[in-house]
Every structure is written in structure tokens, then in C-alpha cells.
Amino acid sequence: MKKLMVILAIAFSLGAFAVSAFAESLSKSGSISIHTNFRGAGAPGMVTGTAFNDKGEGPLHLGPANCSGSFFMVGGQGKGMGFCTFGDADGDRFFVQYTGDYSSNGASEGINQIIGGTGKYLGIQGKGPFKCKPAGVGGELPCTEKFDYQLPK
């Protein structure tokens, strides 16, 4: 029984170290480049998808991405704004407010302003560009996004 307790204590210690090391792997400042694939979430102005870090690993890789917003179009051009949540597979999230220009073919580009976060993203600030262009006829909306960020010291 004593041997089992020692093994469990070591396992929990290693697990806590691994979680701590992963949480600390995010630099205090830098850039995160991702691509997302969104699809309509059923309600007008809502999309949901998955983010992929351009490095194939790291922050936001294989995490959920969800956005809501509204836009208007006049003569084939428009403006839009809304909010998105980007997350990691481990549950940490950050939130953005976006503004952008839209065209009648569904393409858009603009700026994401980071407005908050949870977990390793707590206190995050920053911004970065996004660019989206519809693909195919099934409602897919692939986007590229870059976030230049700073975390509290």
C-alpha cells in the first residue's frame, strides 16, 4: 500500500509539472498565426469552426473558434463587426472584437482586437488582421488570422 501511495504521489507530481510547463510555454509577448475553417452555426450571423496553428502545434491548435456578428451591404460592399472566441484544446480561451470590410462574394478582411481571456490567456491584449474567403458551395469559410499579443508581466 505504501508503495502504491508513493507511485501515485510521483504520478500526480509529474502531471502537475507537465500542466505547469505547458501553461508556461506561451511567451509573454509574440504572435500567433492560425487558419480557421468556419461554417454557419444555424443562426444568422453565427459561425463555428476549428483553429489550426500554422506551426502545426502550439497555441490555439485544434481549438474551437466561434464568432457572432452582423454586417450590412450596399452596392456589393459592406462593413461588419462582432465577437469571436478562440480556444485551445485544453480549454483556455481568448476573446476578440472584430471589424471588417465585406464584399458580395462573401470575402472579408479586417482587424481582430483582443479583449480578454481565461487560463494562460488571462490579461492578454493585442490585435491582428484576418482575411476570409468562402470555399466551395457548402458554406465553408476558411480564414487566416494573426494575433500580435502581450500578456501581463
Side-chain angles (χ1 to χ4, degrees), residues 36-115:
T36 51
N37 190 33
F38 289 109
R39 189 173 185 108
M46 307 263 317
V47 293
T48 188
T50 303
F52 302 90
N53 188 303
D54 289 349
K55 294 179 181 177
E57 62 183 10
L60 306 182
H61 190 58
L62 299 178
N66 300 285
C67 298
S68 64
S70 60
F71 63 94
F72 69 92
M73 302 290 289
V74 175
Q77 299 296 312
K79 299 277 185 190
M81 65 175 296
F83 298 92
C84 296
T85 299
F86 295 93
D88 276 332
D90 62 6
D92 295 336
R93 307 260 190 271
F94 73 77
F95 315 105
V96 304
Q97 180 177 6
Y98 68 87
T99 58
D101 296 317
Y102 290 75
S103 65
S104 60
N105 68 0
S108 61
E109 60 183 278
I111 298 292
N112 285 317
Q113 180 72 42
I114 301 172
I115 58 174

Side-chain angles (χ1 to χ4, degrees), residues 30-34 112 127-131 144-148:
S31 295
I32 302 170
S33 294
I34 63 171
N112 285 317
K127 65 181 179 178
F130 71 86
K131 191 170 190 173
T144 57
E145 303 180 64
K146 181 180 179 187
F147 303 99
D148 296 318

